[in-house]
Amino acid sequence: MKVLVTGGAGYIGSHTSLCLLEAGHEVVVIDSLVNSQLESLHRVQQLSGRNIDFHRVDLLDAPAVEAVVAGAGLDAVIHFAGLKAVGESVEKPLMYYQNNIVGTLNLLHAMDREGVRTLVFSSSATVYGASEEVPLTEKAPLDATNPYGRTKEQIEDILSDLSSADSRWSIALLRYFNPVGAHESGLIGEDPRGVPNNLLPFVAQVAVGRREKVLVYGNDYPTPDGTGVRDYIHVMDLAAGHLAALDFLKSTAGTFRWNLGTGRGSSVLEVIQAFSQAAGCAIPFDFAARRPGDAALSYADPSSALADLGWSALRDLARMCQDHWRWQRDNPFGYGEPN
Ligand code: UD1
């Protein structure tokens, strides 16, 4: 298949592009590089020994998107491109709605005109809001609590309306839990700009000496050790989930929703402990106040993905930390210079 990957230079996009190439697919990438680096794709090409057809295009530039899609002979699209920082989305909601929603509409128009109607969309478990009902099935009520999460929820609605109106569309909405880890080579991984918002990249930067200590947000949650529990999933397992979804969509029309998680929750303290073991060093931490908007517990019921796609996550927390550490250790400043 020939697959267009939007946001293909980003964290999950680069790992998924690698898996696509390794499975023999052709990959075209659109990325604005506002939040990613082209070096990631150079390394994907190095690892796979294959070329990527790269276009530096912002999805807000409708004619440029159209120009990439028209006549390209695409079979499917995997759509990762979007802004994703929760705090920034609260401060700049218009930027988030404009970028994520309008960008997606531009992509969909270009696909529809070209008759490319197979799409895997990068959604998030954040659409479930702070529900305490775990494990979360795909039937859990949607209740995103910030503009970033609402863009994911609204795009899910747009896509569902689209396939209801036109039965030629085949769409997968993949709701990721907490993606972590890196390719086992240590050549590609997550490279957040500035201070990381998410736990694993922060812990990794403490381990490599870039930051002094981790702040653990809350130790009075109703969880076994009082710290927040999440379903961390290895990015290579996540990437494999996209290939399984593409395969499913080849023969089935409609919109489908799948949780991509391991089904197991780990607390913040368990993550720090596992990372410390992987890195072979102590990870200093302090307890701090709860972070507003955080749920106590969030983990997936991933049984639908297993039943429908034959997919399940294979790598455990120790492996996630080992691979994440190898990437961080070998690339202490990610793909670029210190920031
Ligand atoms: C966050 C976003 C979610 C997004 C996801 C992407 C919020 C409220 N949610 O999820 O919308 O889809 O990232 O991966 O931002 N923690 C610390 N110290 C830190 C950082 C995090 O203790 O420095 C704790 C958090 O309180 C939480 C856990 O670690 O219990 C995981 O946090 P994080 O990695 O930010 O992920 P989520 O909050 O689950």
Side-chain angles (χ1 to χ4, degrees):
M1 277 202 279
K2 188 168 184 183
V3 184
L4 172 66
V5 182
T6 76
Y11 174 40
I12 306 170
S14 56
H15 288 79
T16 303
S17 295
L18 177 60
C19 290
L20 287 167
L21 291 168
E22 285 180 337
H25 300 296
E26 278 182 75
V27 174
V28 180
V29 165
I30 287 183
D31 201 302
S32 68
L33 304 180
V34 290
N35 205 13
S36 59
Q37 307 225 29
L38 196 50
E39 176 62 16
S40 64
L41 293 181
H42 293 146
R43 296 192 187 182
V44 168
Q45 294 184 139
Q46 181 189 335
L47 282 165
S48 62
R50 307 258 326 269
N51 277 330
I52 290 173
D53 179 12
F54 173 73
H55 301 264
R56 183 171 186 170
V57 163
D58 193 312
L59 290 183
L60 292 179
D61 184 350
V65 175
E66 187 90 37
V68 173
V69 173
L74 299 172
D75 298 296
V77 175
I78 306 183
H79 177 32
F80 294 104
L83 299 175
K84 62 180 179 101
V86 172
E88 186 184 52
S89 80
V90 174
E91 285 158 25
K92 299 175 181 170
L94 292 183
M95 184 169 100
Y96 270 68
Y97 288 112
Q98 175 82 8
N99 196 86
N100 292 3
I101 307 278
V102 177
T104 300
L105 290 174
N106 288 343
L107 175 68
L108 294 172
H109 280 302
M111 290 174 66
D112 201 35
R113 271 188 214 113
E114 195 60 19
V116 183
R117 298 193 182 87
T118 301
L119 177 72
V120 177
F121 174 59
S122 166
S123 189
S124 168
T126 205
V127 297
Y128 297 122
S131 162
E132 304 284 312
E133 297 279 315
V134 287
L136 288 152
T137 72
E138 289 83 357
K139 293 192 174 66
L142 301 194
D143 184 23
T145 55
N146 55 68
Y148 156 72
R150 278 191 279 274
T151 66
K152 293 292 183 193
E153 200 180 321
Q154 291 169 6
I155 293 167
E156 286 201 1
D157 285 342
I158 291 167
L159 293 172
S160 170
D161 287 344
L162 186 57
S163 74
S164 302
D166 182 344
S167 60
R168 291 172 298 178
W169 281 86
S170 300
I171 298 172
L173 311 176
L174 301 185
R175 295 174 178 161
Y176 314 151
F177 280 70
N178 290 59
V180 299
H183 186 258
E184 63 184 1
S185 63
L187 277 176
I188 57 172
E190 185 173 17
D191 183 16
R193 294 240 161 121
V195 182
N197 297 311
N198 297 121
L199 181 63
L200 252 289
F202 200 99
V203 168
Q205 291 192 4
V206 171
V208 85
R210 280 177 67 180
R211 308 201 183 269
E212 195 190 333
K213 60 183 163 194
V214 181
L215 290 181
V216 176
Y217 298 141
N219 62 346
D220 57 352
Y221 282 110
T223 59
D225 66 18
T227 66
V229 167
R230 294 291 182 276
D231 187 341
Y232 298 92
I233 173 168
H234 196 294
V235 66
M236 291 302 290
D237 282 328
L238 201 59
H242 291 71
L243 272 74
L246 266 188
D247 205 42
F248 179 96
L249 295 180
K250 272 195 303 201
S251 53
T252 325
T255 293
F256 305 88
R257 295 154 184 80
W258 289 294
N259 286 338
L260 296 187
T262 64
R264 285 180 298 278
S266 305
S267 74
V268 176
L269 293 181
E270 283 169 333
V271 169
I272 292 175
Q273 166 69 23
F275 206 95
S276 159
Q277 210 142 26
C281 65
I283 311 245
F285 65 88
D286 271 345
F287 291 117
R290 292 182 180 192
R291 185 171 64 178
D294 274 357
L297 283 155
S298 167
Y299 56 92
D301 175 343
S303 54
S304 295
L306 180 60
D308 299 342
L309 306 176
W311 173 91
S312 63
L314 303 175
R315 297 161 178 91
D316 64 9
L317 183 65
R319 175 71 190 275
M320 297 178 213
C321 292
Q322 286 153 14
D323 288 343
H324 204 116
W325 171 240
R326 189 176 306 108
W327 152 254
Q328 184 74 70
R329 182 197 63 196
D330 294 352
N331 306 268
F333 296 101
Y335 294 112
E337 296 301 308
N339 57 31

